[in-house]
Amino acid sequence: MSLLITGGTGYIGSHTVVELQALADDQDIVIVDDLSNSSTKVLDRIKKITGKTVTFIKADICDYDAMNAVFEQHDIDAVIHFAGHKAVGESSEKPLSYYYNNVSGTVILLRVMAEHKVKNLVFSSSATVYGDNVSPLNEKMTTSATNPYGQTKLMIEHILFDLAKSDSDWSIACLRYFNPIGAHNSGLIGENPNGIPNNLLPYVAQVAVGRLAQLQVFGDDYDTVDGTGVRDYIHVVDLAQGHVKALQNLNKISGCKAINLGTGNGTSVLEIVNTFKEISGQDIPYKIVPRRAGDLAAVYANADLANELLGWQATRNLHTMISDTWRWQSENPQGF
Ligand code: NAD
Ligand code: UFG
């Protein structure tokens, strides 16, 4: 039996592959990725960490024939679906590209899965589907989205709920991630954004390593501990282990279940900057600028359901998250 990982050479996918390979059951892993936001160098790094190889297929999930061939050639029994575009700002500039890649690509994947009677799925959703609900965010809250990227996650969630309602053979875990940061503690894999990073941690890391001159802090007048935005940062290895737990507990899920993967704790931008400075020993110049459109003051999870249903909770603290980010960034200043 094989496990298909779409988007498996990406940031979260690669860390999840490493955790899956650490399992004793030694299930074969097939990665499908079109390399639109990742590199095959990741495959060598995964092998260095785990001593094991994966099957890699360069393909676009929107390509029905290519996806069908993957299922014809491999005895897939479950899928973890990471593939998708994820830049919020870019999604407003290129909405069609986001709806096509994320939504149409997922529909094509689901169609091929159904045709091959593969009905076990773990999907990468996002806390962005909570819209402007007040934190702590729990899975019973109403959902909404404020940008095309968020809409794609919400639309896919609706598709998954409808699909599971129509056919009770489906078991789907819709994992709503909070803010993944950090890297594998080997320093061999980590987040490698193209161009100027949109997210806080890769930006801070690139300032610390000298690739960028100064961080812009988007607002210091929020109603938070120090006025800067608060988020629920979660170590990417904890997140990866959440996927392993979801996969192992899919048989407990009949239908489609939304589950938060977060720590339940909030950290402000300045707390991140100061901790990064302390751990890296580098100066991190920053300037306070106006708020970024669409940002909320504080976003953090109620993470109880993941604990109850999957027996999972995050274990790595902020110090570990930032030490591991720094190790990855300082040992790979230009990424892969
Ligand atoms: P990433 O860009 O590093 O990984 C995504 C991978 O998917 C990349 O390797 C890319 O090449 C591949 N891909 C994109 N479109 C594809 C297609 N049509 N066919 C095949 N491969 C394709 O991103 P990530 O941070 O690892 O995120 C993984 C998933 O988690 C995404 O769906 C993202 O929306 C979701 N997510 C990420 C975050 C975050 O902050 N990183 C938060 C919430 C949800
Ligand atoms: N921030 C800055 N300067 C920067 C970048 C970010 O001050 O250069 C601040 C933001 O204003 C926010 C915090 O740092 O307060 C975190 O911002 P990120 O862009 O890193 O993360 P977001 O919470 O805005 O969004 C991320 C992903 C979304 C996902 C969401 C889930 O980018 O795709 O987490 O909660 F939907």
Side-chain angles (χ1 to χ4, degrees):
M1 287 301 212
S2 300
L3 186 60
L4 172 62
I5 317 284
T6 73
T9 43
Y11 173 45
I12 305 169
S14 57
H15 287 83
T16 302
V17 168
V18 166
E19 294 308 307
L20 287 164
Q21 288 191 317
L23 296 177
D25 61 5
D26 235 3
Q27 202 172 27
D28 286 336
I29 290 177
V30 177
I31 294 178
V32 165
D33 200 300
D34 67 355
L35 302 177
S36 55
N37 198 36
S38 55
S39 151
T40 51
K41 286 184 190 152
V42 171
L43 300 167
D44 302 329
R45 299 290 182 91
I46 291 175
K47 184 160 183 217
K48 240 184 187 167
I49 297 170
T50 65
K52 295 180 186 175
T53 44
V54 296
T55 301
F56 175 72
I57 299 163
K58 182 175 183 297
D60 183 341
I61 56 162
C62 300
D63 180 343
Y64 174 87
D65 292 337
M67 294 310 292
N68 194 49
V70 171
F71 282 78
E72 294 278 321
Q73 285 157 20
H74 299 273
D75 188 13
I76 310 283
D77 71 338
V79 178
I80 307 184
H81 176 33
F82 294 104
H85 295 334
K86 62 165 183 177
V88 173
E90 186 187 58
S91 77
S92 296
E93 290 153 24
K94 302 179 184 168
L96 286 182
S97 155
Y98 273 69
Y99 287 116
Y100 181 67
N101 194 60
N102 294 6
V103 182
S104 304
T106 300
V107 172
I108 289 165
L109 170 69
L110 294 171
R111 196 178 136 201
V112 176
M113 288 177 70
E115 286 167 1
H116 290 268
K117 301 194 170 26
V118 178
K119 298 184 179 178
N120 296 314
L121 175 70
V122 178
F123 171 63
S124 297
S125 190
S126 166
T128 193
V129 301
Y130 287 114
D132 56 7
N133 276 297
V134 175
S135 291
L137 301 169
N138 71 65
E139 295 84 350
K140 292 196 179 90
M141 287 174 161
T142 53
T143 52
S144 65
T146 53
N147 56 68
Y149 165 73
Q151 293 289 1
T152 69
K153 291 294 173 193
L154 202 50
M155 288 166 92
I156 295 168
E157 285 205 358
H158 288 310
I159 292 168
L160 296 177
F161 282 111
D162 285 345
L163 181 63
K165 243 186 262 165
S166 76
D167 175 354
S168 60
D169 288 346
W170 283 90
S171 292
I172 304 174
C174 213
L175 303 180
R176 293 178 176 164
Y177 313 157
F178 282 70
N179 292 54
I181 64 168
H184 191 265
N185 64 11
S186 61
L188 288 169
I189 54 174
E191 190 170 10
N192 185 35
N194 273 331
I196 308 279
N198 300 299
N199 296 114
L200 181 64
L201 258 293
Y203 204 109
V204 169
Q206 291 192 18
V207 171
V209 87
R211 273 175 72 178
L212 294 169
Q214 186 181 52
L215 172 73
Q216 295 191 317
V217 175
F218 298 138
D220 67 348
D221 55 353
Y222 288 107
D223 184 15
T224 60
V225 57
D226 55 20
T228 63
V230 162
R231 296 291 182 272
D232 185 341
Y233 297 97
I234 172 171
H235 197 297
V236 65
V237 174
D238 277 328
L239 192 69
Q241 290 171 349
H243 289 73
V244 174
K245 287 282 190 187
L247 199 64
Q248 290 170 334
N249 288 285
L250 266 185
N251 56 350
K252 284 195 208 156
I253 298 175
S254 62
C256 178
K257 196 93 192 146
I259 306 169
N260 287 344
L261 292 185
T263 65
N265 303 315
T267 305
S268 76
V269 175
L270 290 183
E271 284 169 340
I272 292 280
V273 170
N274 291 332
T275 311
F276 210 110
K277 210 167 148 175
E278 191 187 305
I279 288 172
S280 66
Q282 305 297 310
D283 191 21
I284 304 188
Y286 68 85
K287 179 169 83 177
I288 308 287
V289 300
R291 293 178 178 193
R292 183 171 66 180
D295 272 358
L296 297 172
V299 180
Y300 52 94
N302 173 321
D304 293 348
L305 186 63
N307 198 0
E308 283 160 28
L309 213 59
L310 311 178
W312 171 91
Q313 62 184 20
T315 60
R316 292 164 179 81
N317 62 20
L318 190 67
H319 192 276
T320 305
M321 296 184 216
I322 292 188
S323 303
D324 289 341
T325 303
W326 178 237
R327 185 179 306 106
W328 155 251
Q329 186 69 68
S330 53
E331 291 177 8
N332 307 268
Q334 301 302 324
F336 288 107

